Amino acid sequence: AGSDRSTSGTVRITASQPVACHVLPPLLAQMRLTLPEVQVELVASNAVSNLLRREADIAVRMVQPEQATVIARRVGKVALRACAHQDYLRRRGIPRQPSDLLSHDLIGGDRNEEILKGFAVRGLRVDRENFAFRTDDLIVVWQAVRAGLGIGFVSEHLIRTEPAVVPLLPKLKIEPFPVWLVVHKEIRTSQRIRAVFDFLADALPRAI
């Protein structure tokens, strides 16, 4: 369509639910002050949108894209921690080692098996029935932890926002997820997309 030198118009961003709900809104509020002519469409989804089919202009992803026709920049990483509300810990006690988790109410995935795989890597036999509460919605996981339902695995940047939620087992190392900021190569001809990409590339590392 040729070069677009205007910063006025719409930019469509897709991100995982936790990033879209908790990380991006304050950043987009800041961006509004510097790029007031840009309208944002934010898609909160854990599915990987296809930038090649123009499902989004910019994506915040936890996996590195493989397409050669997109530009990706690693902007940080998201570390997970076991955590629980202080009310739950008063009732059930504090786990001191990973094996103690087996005697607690755990919050885990319904169809997603990442947490099960994490236990298996550490030699702990856990199946779906060990999870007192199961959901694949990451926002629901966080709200379940905040409600005192049990012990869940949540990103550290979320835990820091709730003083009543206590991080647990500091020696339990969970491989952090890299965070990639991805854009279609149209960034080279669209001043609007370039401006939003540059803003997020600068702001996201501090936010996560």
Side-chain angles (χ1 to χ4, degrees):
S3 178
D4 180 1
R5 299 185 182 278
S6 172
T7 57
S8 176
T10 299
V11 175
R12 188 174 178 85
I13 302 171
T14 181
S16 67
Q17 289 170 308
V19 171
C21 292
H22 296 281
V23 178
L24 286 181
L27 299 187
L28 295 177
Q30 297 172 23
M31 190 178 79
R32 184 71 181 164
L33 301 177
T34 58
L35 298 171
E37 296 180 338
V38 173
Q39 298 95 49
V40 173
E41 294 175 348
L42 179 57
V43 181
S45 173
N46 294 326
V48 177
S49 296
N50 192 327
L51 271 66
L52 302 185
R53 293 202 302 264
R54 301 313 307 273
E55 294 173 359
D57 299 308
I58 297 174
V60 184
R61 293 180 175 171
M62 303 302 177
V63 293
Q64 184 176 8
E66 298 179 352
Q67 301 99 325
T69 51
V70 299
I71 298 170
R73 181 183 299 180
R74 182 167 174 168
V75 293
K77 58 187 179 181
V78 171
L80 299 183
R81 283 285 297 275
C83 63
H85 194 278
Q86 59 190 11
D87 291 343
Y88 170 85
L89 296 174
R90 277 194 290 264
R91 296 195 313 267
R92 299 294 304 277
I94 299 175
R96 302 298 180 184
Q97 53 190 3
S99 59
D100 293 344
L101 293 174
L102 301 182
S103 60
H104 277 268
D105 294 337
L106 299 179
I107 298 169
D110 178 21
R111 299 187 179 185
N112 187 306
E113 297 185 347
E114 291 301 316
I115 296 177
L116 293 177
K117 293 175 182 177
F119 276 111
V121 166
R122 290 162 179 80
L124 298 174
R125 183 176 177 82
V126 176
D127 54 33
R128 293 178 75 255
E129 284 66 34
N130 289 103
F131 297 141
F133 181 78
R134 296 188 288 269
T135 179
D136 291 332
D137 189 307
L138 301 178
I139 297 300
V140 176
V141 169
W142 173 233
Q143 295 301 333
V145 169
R146 294 182 66 211
L149 258 173
I151 296 176
F153 299 87
V154 179
S155 59
E156 289 184 339
H157 68 80
L158 269 185
I159 297 173
R160 289 194 294 268
T161 67
E162 177 56 77
V165 172
V166 180
L168 305 169
L169 300 169
K171 294 184 179 180
L172 178 60
K173 300 301 181 182
I174 302 174
E175 188 70 22
F177 293 94
V179 180
W180 295 88
L181 187 62
V182 188
V183 65
H184 194 276
K185 285 188 175 179
E186 184 182 342
I187 189 175
R188 294 170 177 167
T189 56
S190 172
Q191 184 65 31
R192 178 176 65 256
I193 296 175
R194 161 66 73 179
V196 174
F197 181 89
D198 288 345
F199 181 91
L200 293 177
D202 177 67
L204 274 172
R206 295 191 298 272
I208 59 177

